[in-house]
Amino acid sequence: MIKTSDFYYDLPEELIAQTPLKDRTTSRMLVVHKNTKEIEHKHFYDILDYLHEGDVIVRNNTRVIPARLFGTKEVTNAHVELLLLKQEENDIWECLVGNAKVVKIGTFVSFGDGLLRAECIEIGEKGLRKFKMHYNGIFNEILDQLGTVPLPPYIKEKLDDPERYQTVYAKVEGSAAAPTAGLHFTDEIFAKLKEKGVKVVNVTLHVGLGTFRPMDTENIEEHVMHSEIYMMDQDAADELNKAKEEGRRIIAVGTTSVRTIESVWNRFNKFEACSGETNLFIYPGYTFHTCDCILTNFHLPKSTLIMMICAYASKELVFNAYNQAVKERYRFFSFGDCMFLTNE
């Protein structure tokens, strides 16, 4: 049995990055060579030295929405917090509810003096609810007016510029959290990569509970991933299939890009233009089909994300890298430094 507790590491709280660096590219980058086991200490702008002509970068172009809403239960005025996770048809949203015990089927929660009303229509487990949204006008405009960008709970500092919790290529609205490995890139870095002959393709995975919910089982095989919506267009599928055929490397930016391309491959045994929902859980023992290299941030202890990285390299190598990162006082989590896992 593979145990959740096997993926614990001790992290001093002061190493949790509370604010983004002024220059996105100056984050430190721990380069981990999967085959030789060599570990190098670099900066993100050095990524240019590790990518080659013909490589294909896969990035997740999802955009974080102001998904956190604070309202009151109609009739009793009890405070209720909603985190919008996933949009379904006909203005129905799956949400994570703070103070969930006061929200029953038929409960209405009011936001902005009734500008938006959420009617509970289904009760799920562990604080999940489905709501029918009632409003006049355009939902995204109302959300911009009433909602706030939901930063992770370990970030205590106020974010002065909400755009710093978006990648520079964020485009398709729908995430409750940022695909944080992409936060290090700038338009200038992409321009230099293009000059070098590195290709870039976009996929979309709307980050939700599957990515950030903590594990609550000791046997990891009993953990069920919450599904997340993903999309791949024809251009991305064609470029990736071509890269595979020609033996060129595919570099995934972040665990969400990994989940997307692995999910598509597992579904079709190749890349195809498609959309769907994935609850793919990647942990040690999983066979990768698509990724040659992964750029990723440092992940929480005992999280599904650190398990994915250990599946790609090895638990021993990844934990050796993490121990070095702690020793060298790297910055951890969403606004922190990054790791480049390479097959060279």
Side-chain angles (χ1 to χ4, degrees):
M1 180 178 84
I2 306 175
K3 297 187 291 186
T4 301
S5 54
D6 291 339
F7 296 87
Y8 175 79
Y9 67 92
D10 194 28
L11 180 71
E13 193 173 342
E14 67 268 19
L15 296 187
I16 301 173
Q18 293 296 315
T19 53
L21 296 179
K22 187 174 181 182
D23 180 349
R24 291 173 184 257
T25 68
T26 56
S27 296
R28 295 164 81 187
M29 182 173 71
L30 196 68
V31 180
V32 180
H33 295 267
K34 180 180 171 183
N35 295 330
T36 66
K37 316 298 185 200
E38 181 189 1
I39 293 175
E40 300 177 277
H41 299 278
K42 299 288 184 176
H43 288 87
F44 179 72
Y45 48 71
D46 296 316
I47 192 79
L48 295 162
D49 298 331
Y50 294 90
L51 299 179
H52 317 308
E53 182 179 357
D55 285 349
V56 181
I57 286 178
V58 183
R59 63 187 190 184
N60 180 8
N61 67 359
T62 190
R63 185 171 178 81
V64 184
I65 60 174
R68 178 162 280 143
L69 290 163
F70 297 93
T72 54
K73 180 179 173 181
E74 294 184 2
V75 182
T76 67
N77 286 330
H79 290 283
V80 178
E81 178 186 345
L82 297 192
L83 179 63
L84 306 185
L85 293 175
K86 189 162 55 180
Q87 185 175 13
E88 300 184 358
E89 57 190 2
N90 300 325
D91 284 320
I92 293 171
W93 280 82
E94 183 179 49
C95 303
L96 189 62
V97 185
N99 200 14
K101 63 181 182 294
V102 306
V103 178
K104 317 290 187 193
I105 288 181
T107 295
F108 276 84
V109 184
S110 178
F111 306 92
D113 295 324
L115 190 61
L116 175 66
R117 299 171 73 228
E119 176 190 4
C120 180
I121 60 170
E122 187 178 314
I123 294 178
E125 58 175 13
K126 300 173 187 170
L128 290 174
R129 302 284 189 272
K130 287 188 181 177
F131 290 88
K132 169 82 172 177
M133 300 299 181
H134 301 272
Y135 56 93
N136 290 313
I138 299 170
F139 182 77
N140 284 353
E141 291 181 359
I142 293 170
L143 199 59
D144 285 341
Q145 187 176 336
L146 299 177
T148 57
V149 169
L151 292 178
Y154 49 75
I155 293 177
K156 315 296 183 189
E157 298 278 330
K158 186 177 182 297
L159 183 60
D160 293 331
D161 178 9
E163 280 301 303
R164 288 309 308 273
Y165 192 58
Q166 306 279 8
T167 62
V168 296
Y169 49 85
K171 184 178 180 184
V172 186
E173 293 194 331
S175 275
T180 53
L183 295 179
H184 307 280
F185 284 93
T186 60
D187 292 330
E188 290 76 18
I189 287 277
F190 281 120
K192 288 177 181 176
L193 288 170
K194 186 177 180 181
E195 283 175 24
K196 200 168 183 179
V198 176
K199 309 281 188 181
V200 176
V201 301
N202 293 311
V203 295
T204 305
L205 181 134
H206 291 319
V207 185
L209 212 51
T211 295
F212 61 78
R213 170 167 263 177
M215 300 272 290
D216 59 5
T217 60
E218 178 60 357
N219 180 355
I220 70 170
E221 292 180 4
E222 294 174 0
H223 178 70
V224 178
M225 291 286 280
H226 201 72
S227 66
E228 295 170 316
I229 295 167
Y230 70 90
M231 289 161 268
M232 177 179 286
D233 66 19
Q234 193 64 55
D235 288 345
D238 290 345
E239 189 65 58
L240 291 168
N241 281 325
K242 193 176 175 190
K244 286 285 278 186
E245 288 163 13
E246 296 174 359
R248 292 184 282 118
R249 296 193 307 172
I250 294 173
I251 291 94
V253 177
T255 57
T256 61
S257 296
V258 175
R259 280 190 85 197
T260 306
I261 58 178
E262 285 290 317
S263 295
V264 174
W265 186 273
N266 290 343
R267 185 173 163 187
F268 301 106
N269 215 32
K270 61 179 179 176
F271 298 109
E272 280 202 13
C274 62
S275 61
E277 294 192 17
T278 180
N279 63 352
L280 178 62
F281 179 19
I282 297 175
Y283 57 87
Y286 179 86
T287 300
F288 284 82
H289 303 286
T290 63
C291 298
D292 296 296
C293 309
I294 301 174
L295 177 77
T296 184
N297 277 21
F298 293 96
H299 303 296
L300 275 73
K302 302 196 293 185
S303 64
T304 61
L305 305 181
I306 196 171
M307 292 173 190
M308 178 193 288
I309 300 308
C310 290
Y312 170 78
S314 72
K315 181 173 177 289
E316 182 183 13
L317 180 58
V318 170
F319 270 67
N320 180 28
Y322 269 61
N323 288 335
Q324 287 203 33
V326 170
K327 184 180 175 184
E328 296 295 325
R329 303 192 68 77
Y330 275 62
R331 303 167 78 247
F332 277 66
F333 306 160
S334 294
F335 287 139
D337 297 318
C338 61
M339 175 190 284
F340 184 60
L341 298 124
T342 174
N343 61 353
E344 292 186 331

